[in-house]
Amino acid sequence: MDERGLHRLIGTIIDPERLDDDCAVIPCGDRLMVASTDMLHETTDFPAGMTDWQIGWMATAVTLSDVASMGAAPGEVLLAVGLDRPERLSGIMEGARDCCTRFGAELVGGDLDAHRELTIVSTGLGLVAPEHLVRRRGARPGDVIAVTGPLGEAEAALAGYDRHRRELLEPQPRVREGQALGRAGVSAMMDISDGLVLSLHDLLAVNDCGFSVDTARLPLPAGVPEDEGRELALYGGGDFELLFTAPPDILPVPGVEARVIGEVIPERTVLADGEPLERRGYLHEWKG
Amino acid sequence: MDERGLHRLIGTIIDPERLDDDCAVIPCGDRLMVASTDMLHETTDFPAGMTDWQIGWMATAVTLSDVASMGAAPGEVLLAVGLDRPERLSGIMEGARDCCTRFGAELVGGDLDAHRELTIVSTGLGLVAPEHLVRRRGARPGDVIAVTGPLGEAEAALAGYDRHRRELLEPQPRVREGQALGRAGVSAMMDISDGLVLSLHDLLAVNDCGFSVDTARLPLPAGVPEDEGRELALYGGGDFELLFTAPPDILPVPGVEARVIGEVIPERTVLADGEPLERRGYLHEWKG
C-alpha cells in the first residue's frame, strides 16, 4: 500500500474533505487559521552531508510551504525533535529559528525527546482572510496551470548536479508568493513537494476537471541535459515551488514570477503534450 | 545532559518565556489559541502489550492534557504518524479519533510517513478567553496546592499492579476539569506527566515562591502498600492529572474533584513534610 492508499484509509476515519488540502482550516475570529504538520527523519528525508542547521531549516521550510500554499501568512511554528545525539539540538534549533525569521514566522515551542533516529515534526500555523484562502479544489476549465519557479532542482542535486545543492538543502518556501497569489484570486493551489506529476494527480482527485501540460513550457533545472531535465521536472520530488491554476486574465500577478505550463481542461485526466501522464513520483511505499 | 538541560539551551534560541508553559499561546480574534505538540515513540512511550487503538488514544490524550492544563477548550488535533507497519494505521487513527470524540475535539489532519520505529507526534489546538487562561506562573504564597486525582497510578501499573492498567494505557485527560478550574480563577496550573516532584520543580522554576506538600494528603494509588504508593505518587510518571494552585476561598470548584496536598510558601524551595524534595522523576537522560 502506498502513502495515498493509506490516505484513503484515513478518509474513512477523518472527514475526507479535511484531507484534500495541505493544511487544516480552522475558524479564528474573522480570519481563518491554517495548520500543517510534517514529519521528517534522517534515513528518508535528510540527504547525506546535510548540516544540523540545514536540517532545522528544511524541517521548518516544509511546513511554511504548506502554509503558503493556502495563501496564508505564516505565524507560529512548533517543532517536536526526537534527537539521536543531544549535541545536534542547537544547530537544528538555530536553523529552524533562522528559517522562521527569514519568512516572518516565530518559533514558539515544541517538544524534545530522545530517539534512535533523528526525527523532526514541524507544525506551522498561519492566518488568512477567508476570501483569500486557496484550496486544492477550485480549478475550472479555461484556467491556466502555472508554477512559481524551476522544477526538478532538488532531484537534480541528488542526481549529482551540485549547482542545485542549495535548492535541495536550503529550500526557500514561496511564502510571499503564496499570499500574493491568494490575494490575486488564483483558483487552486498546492506545493509540489512530491513532484509535478503526482501533484497534478492530487489536483485531479479533488477537482471535476483535468490538467494538460505542455512539456516544452516546463521551467527546467539549469545545467542539466534537456531530456533528463524534463524527466526531473515532471517526476522529481523535493521542490518547494507552488503549483496553481488561475483565470488567465489575472496573470501576471505583480511581484510573483510564475511560468504558465498548461491549461485546465474539462476531461478528468492528466496530460503531457496530449498524452496521459502516469501517476508516479516521490511516494513512500511499503513493500510486501 | 537531561531534557530540562536541553530546554535551557533552547531558551537561548526561542524566547524563554515561550517555554514556561505546556502550550504556546497565540492571539486568535478576541480569544487565545493554545497549541501543544508531543512526540511519542514505541521504545520509550508505549508499554508492551498496548494495542494500536490505545497508542492512538494515548498520543491524542497527551496533547489534550496540555491544552486542558491552560484552561482551554480543545479544538483540533493533528497527528503525524511514522509507521513501522502500514496495517497499524487504522487502529491508531481510530484510537485518536475516539479520544478526540470523547473530549470534544476533532481530528482534522496530519502527516504520514514510513519509519523504522513507530513514532507519533500529536499537535493540539484549543481556545480560551484571555481572562480564563492559566499559566504555570502565577502561584502566590497562601495559595493551596491541589491535584485532580490519584497520583502514581500509571507507574503502579508498570510496577505490576494490574488494576491500574487502564490508567496507564487509556489515560483520561482532565479536559472538563481544566476549563472549570480556569473559569474559577486558579492561579497556576500544569499537567503532571513527568511526576509530581518534577512538576513542582517546574513550577518553582517559573514562580517567585515555593511549594510545600504534605505527603499524608497525597491521593495514593489504590491497592498498593502505603510506602510504595507514596513513592509512586511523588515520583511516578505517566499520570494525566492536573496540578494547580489556587486561593483557598475558590475551592471546591463545582464539578471538579480535587485534593489539596499542600500550600504555596514564600521561600523558593520544594518541600515534602518540611524537608527539601530532590528534583527527580521521569526524565529522558542522555548518557555520556
Side-chain angles (χ1 to χ4, degrees):
Chain A
M1 198 186 300
D2 73 16
E3 204 173 317
R4 281 169 175 74
L6 288 169
H7 271 120
R8 280 191 295 275
L9 186 154
I10 294 172
T12 65
I13 298 168
I14 298 185
D15 174 359
E17 279 197 15
R18 290 281 197 188
L19 304 176
D20 288 351
D21 289 299
D22 292 351
C23 294
V25 179
I26 301 161
C28 185
D30 58 356
R31 290 191 287 175
L32 296 172
M33 178 168 280
V34 301
S36 155
T37 194
D38 291 282
M39 177 178 288
L40 301 178
H41 55 111
E42 189 108 45
T43 51
T44 53
D45 298 294
F46 305 134
M50 201 169 181
T51 68
D52 291 339
W53 185 92
Q54 289 171 328
I55 285 172
W57 176 284
M58 179 185 277
T60 306
V62 165
T63 201
L64 294 181
S65 180
D66 285 334
V67 168
S69 77
M70 309 288 291
E76 296 76 19
V77 172
L78 297 112
L79 216 60
V81 182
L83 273 179
D84 54 343
R85 287 181 285 117
E87 60 269 27
R88 302 185 75 169
L89 184 64
S90 60
I92 290 168
M93 295 300 293
E94 284 164 11
R97 176 202 58 196
D98 291 349
C99 187
C100 282
T101 303
R102 168 71 185 78
F103 294 103
E106 189 186 358
L107 188 59
V108 296
D111 189 28
L112 192 57
D113 209 343
H115 204 299
R116 277 186 299 181
E117 179 183 343
L118 179 66
T119 303
I120 305 182
V121 173
S122 58
T123 299
L125 304 174
L127 286 173
V128 60
E131 63 274 24
H132 296 152
L133 179 76
V134 190
R135 295 181 178 270
R136 291 187 182 181
R137 173 188 279 273
R140 285 174 296 256
D143 286 353
V144 294
I145 305 169
V147 294
T148 52
L151 303 176
E153 292 184 329
E155 200 81 30
L158 287 172
Y161 295 97
D162 284 346
R163 66 188 286 173
H164 294 299
R165 276 189 76 76
R166 180 142 191 272
E167 290 89 334
L168 173 67
L169 300 179
E170 298 174 24
Q172 307 289 314
R174 297 301 191 182
V175 167
R176 187 180 53 76
E177 291 83 349
Q179 295 170 74
L181 292 168
R183 283 191 299 268
V186 303
S187 51
M189 187 153 61
M190 65 181 295
D191 72 353
I192 319 193
S193 46
D194 293 333
L196 176 63
V197 172
L198 273 185
S199 299
L200 290 169
H201 276 278
D202 284 340
L203 290 181
L204 180 68
V206 297
N207 283 285
D208 301 317
C209 47
F211 301 87
S212 173
V213 299
D214 178 355
T215 60
R217 305 173 86 177
L218 296 179
L220 304 184
V224 178
E226 195 177 325
D227 281 358
E228 186 181 0
R230 188 172 299 117
E231 189 77 2
L232 295 173
L234 285 169
Y235 298 106
D239 289 327
F240 279 66
E241 302 298 340
L242 298 173
L243 167 67
F244 63 95
T245 63
D249 58 343
I250 70 165
L251 296 184
V253 171
V256 178
E257 276 189 55
R259 182 83 71 93
V260 171
I261 60 169
E263 59 180 1
V264 181
I265 56 176
E267 301 75 34
R268 297 203 64 229
T269 182
V270 175
L271 303 176
D273 306 331
E275 296 294 319
L277 259 181
E278 190 189 351
R279 185 179 159 285
R280 74 178 163 89
Y282 184 78
L283 274 186
H284 299 290
E285 290 270 0
W286 278 270
K287 310 296 186 197
Chain B
M1 196 184 302
D2 72 16
E3 202 173 317
R4 279 169 176 74
L6 289 168
H7 271 120
R8 280 192 294 275
L9 186 155
I10 294 174
T12 65
I13 297 168
I14 299 185
D15 174 0
E17 279 199 14
R18 289 282 198 187
L19 303 176
D20 287 352
D21 289 298
D22 292 350
C23 293
V25 179
I26 301 161
C28 185
D30 57 356
R31 291 190 286 176
L32 297 172
M33 179 169 280
V34 301
S36 156
T37 193
D38 292 282
M39 178 179 287
L40 301 179
H41 55 111
E42 187 108 47
T43 51
T44 53
D45 297 296
F46 305 134
M50 201 169 180
T51 67
D52 291 338
W53 185 92
Q54 288 171 328
I55 285 172
W57 175 283
M58 178 184 277
T60 305
V62 166
T63 200
L64 294 182
S65 181
D66 285 335
V67 168
S69 77
M70 309 288 291
E76 294 75 20
V77 172
L78 296 110
L79 217 60
V81 182
L83 272 180
D84 55 344
R85 287 181 285 117
E87 60 268 26
R88 301 185 75 168
L89 183 65
S90 60
I92 291 167
M93 295 300 294
E94 285 165 9
R97 176 202 57 194
D98 291 350
C99 187
C100 281
T101 302
R102 167 71 185 77
F103 293 103
E106 189 186 359
L107 188 60
V108 296
D111 189 28
L112 192 57
D113 208 345
H115 204 300
R116 276 185 300 181
E117 181 182 343
L118 179 66
T119 302
I120 306 183
V121 173
S122 58
T123 299
L125 304 174
L127 286 173
V128 59
E131 64 273 24
H132 296 152
L133 180 78
V134 190
R135 295 180 179 271
R136 290 186 183 183
R137 172 187 279 273
R140 286 174 296 255
D143 286 352
V144 294
I145 305 169
V147 294
T148 51
L151 303 176
E153 292 184 329
E155 200 81 29
L158 287 172
Y161 295 97
D162 284 344
R163 66 187 285 173
H164 294 298
R165 277 189 74 76
R166 180 141 191 272
E167 290 88 336
L168 173 67
L169 301 179
E170 298 173 25
Q172 307 289 314
R174 297 300 191 182
V175 168
R176 187 179 52 76
E177 291 83 350
Q179 295 171 74
L181 292 167
R183 283 191 299 266
V186 303
S187 52
M189 186 154 61
M190 65 182 294
D191 71 353
I192 320 192
S193 45
D194 293 333
L196 176 64
V197 172
L198 274 185
S199 300
L200 290 168
H201 275 277
D202 285 340
L203 291 181
L204 181 68
V206 297
N207 283 284
D208 303 316
C209 47
F211 302 87
S212 173
V213 298
D214 178 354
T215 59
R217 304 173 86 179
L218 296 179
L220 305 183
V224 177
E226 194 175 325
D227 282 358
E228 184 182 2
R230 187 173 299 115
E231 189 78 2
L232 295 173
L234 285 169
Y235 298 106
D239 288 328
F240 279 65
E241 301 298 339
L242 297 173
L243 167 67
F244 63 94
T245 62
D249 58 342
I250 70 165
L251 296 184
V253 171
V256 178
E257 277 189 54
R259 183 83 71 95
V260 172
I261 61 170
E263 59 179 3
V264 181
I265 56 177
E267 302 76 33
R268 294 204 65 230
T269 182
V270 175
L271 303 176
D273 306 331
E275 297 294 320
L277 257 182
E278 188 190 350
R279 183 180 160 285
R280 72 177 164 89
Y282 185 78
L283 273 187
H284 299 289
E285 290 269 3
W286 278 271
K287 310 297 186 197

